[in-house]
Amino acid sequence: MTLDEFNRWSPDEARDALLACAHVDRWAEEVAAGRPYATVEDAAEAALTAADPWTDDEVDSALARHPRIGERAEGEAADASMSRSEQAGVDTSDDDVTRRLAEGNRAYEQRFGHVFLVRAAGRSAEEILEQLTERLGNDAETERANAARNLREIAALRLKGMLTA
C-alpha cells in the first residue's frame, strides 16, 4: 500500500493493517490516530515511540506471534509473510549453525520464558547466533527490555516495508 492510501483509510482499517506489524492494540490505535503522516519515515518514527512503554501483557502478545530465529513462519497471514522476508538472510544450510541456533533458542526460552527476538533483517545466521549467545548472559529485566526494544524496531521496519511495497 502507499502512504497516501494508509493516510486515507478509516481508523479501523489502519489499525487492522498495523496489527500485522505488532500485535499490540494500543500501539496500532496510536499509530493509526497519528495519521496523516507526511512521509514513510514519519510513520516509522511514530511506530518507534507509540504507546510507550508497552505493558508486559502487550510484549507477551507481540512475542507470541514471532517464530524462533531460524524457523520459517507458517501460513498466509501478513505477519507470517513479513517474518519470512525478515529472516531471508538467515541461511540455515549450515547444519552446525542451524543446530546451535536451535539449542540457543531452547536455552533462551528456558531461561527467559519467551522466544529470543532480534531484528533479523540484514543479519546473517552467524551474527544472530552471536547475539543470542551474548544475550543468554543477561538478567531477566535486561532481556525483557531488549525484547520490547526489538519488537518496536521490527514493528517500525514492518510498517516502513508495508508503506513502500
Side-chain angles (χ1 to χ4, degrees):
M1 88 183 80
T2 67
L3 177 62
D4 287 338
E5 290 169 329
F6 179 67
N7 282 335
R8 286 193 308 265
W9 281 359
S10 73
D12 286 343
E13 289 172 319
R15 180 188 54 80
D16 289 349
L18 288 161
L19 288 173
C21 300
H23 287 270
V24 177
D25 289 327
R26 190 170 58 98
W27 172 86
E29 289 166 4
E30 193 170 308
V31 174
R35 295 169 309 134
Y37 294 105
T39 67
V40 171
E41 283 299 324
D42 290 344
E45 290 277 325
L48 285 172
T49 59
D52 190 31
W54 288 353
T55 66
D56 283 344
D57 286 344
E58 290 169 333
V59 170
D60 289 341
S61 173
L63 283 169
R65 299 297 294 229
H66 282 272
R68 290 177 184 96
I69 297 292
E71 293 181 5
R72 298 292 186 247
E74 299 290 328
E76 300 301 316
D79 57 339
S81 175
M82 289 179 198
S83 179
R84 286 189 298 270
S85 176
E86 291 159 0
Q87 289 200 44
V90 180
D91 179 9
T92 55
S93 64
D94 182 329
D95 289 341
D96 182 56
V97 171
T98 300
R99 179 187 53 75
R100 291 170 49 213
L101 272 173
E103 289 171 357
N105 280 325
R106 280 191 300 276
Y108 185 94
E109 289 173 28
Q110 286 177 337
R111 180 163 167 75
F112 298 112
H114 57 82
V115 298
F116 169 70
L117 188 73
V118 67
R119 183 183 49 76
R123 294 187 174 156
S124 70
E126 290 82 6
E127 289 172 304
I128 291 169
L129 180 57
E130 183 178 316
Q131 268 213 325
L132 171 55
T133 303
E134 180 180 304
R135 285 175 48 189
L136 275 166
N138 288 340
D139 61 68
E141 185 176 330
T142 299
E143 206 43 42
R144 189 78 170 172
N146 281 333
R149 179 180 43 78
N150 278 279
L151 283 165
R152 284 183 173 281
E153 288 176 9
I154 291 166
L157 286 172
R158 286 180 172 186
L159 176 57
K160 196 173 179 179
M162 191 168 59
L163 295 177
T164 57

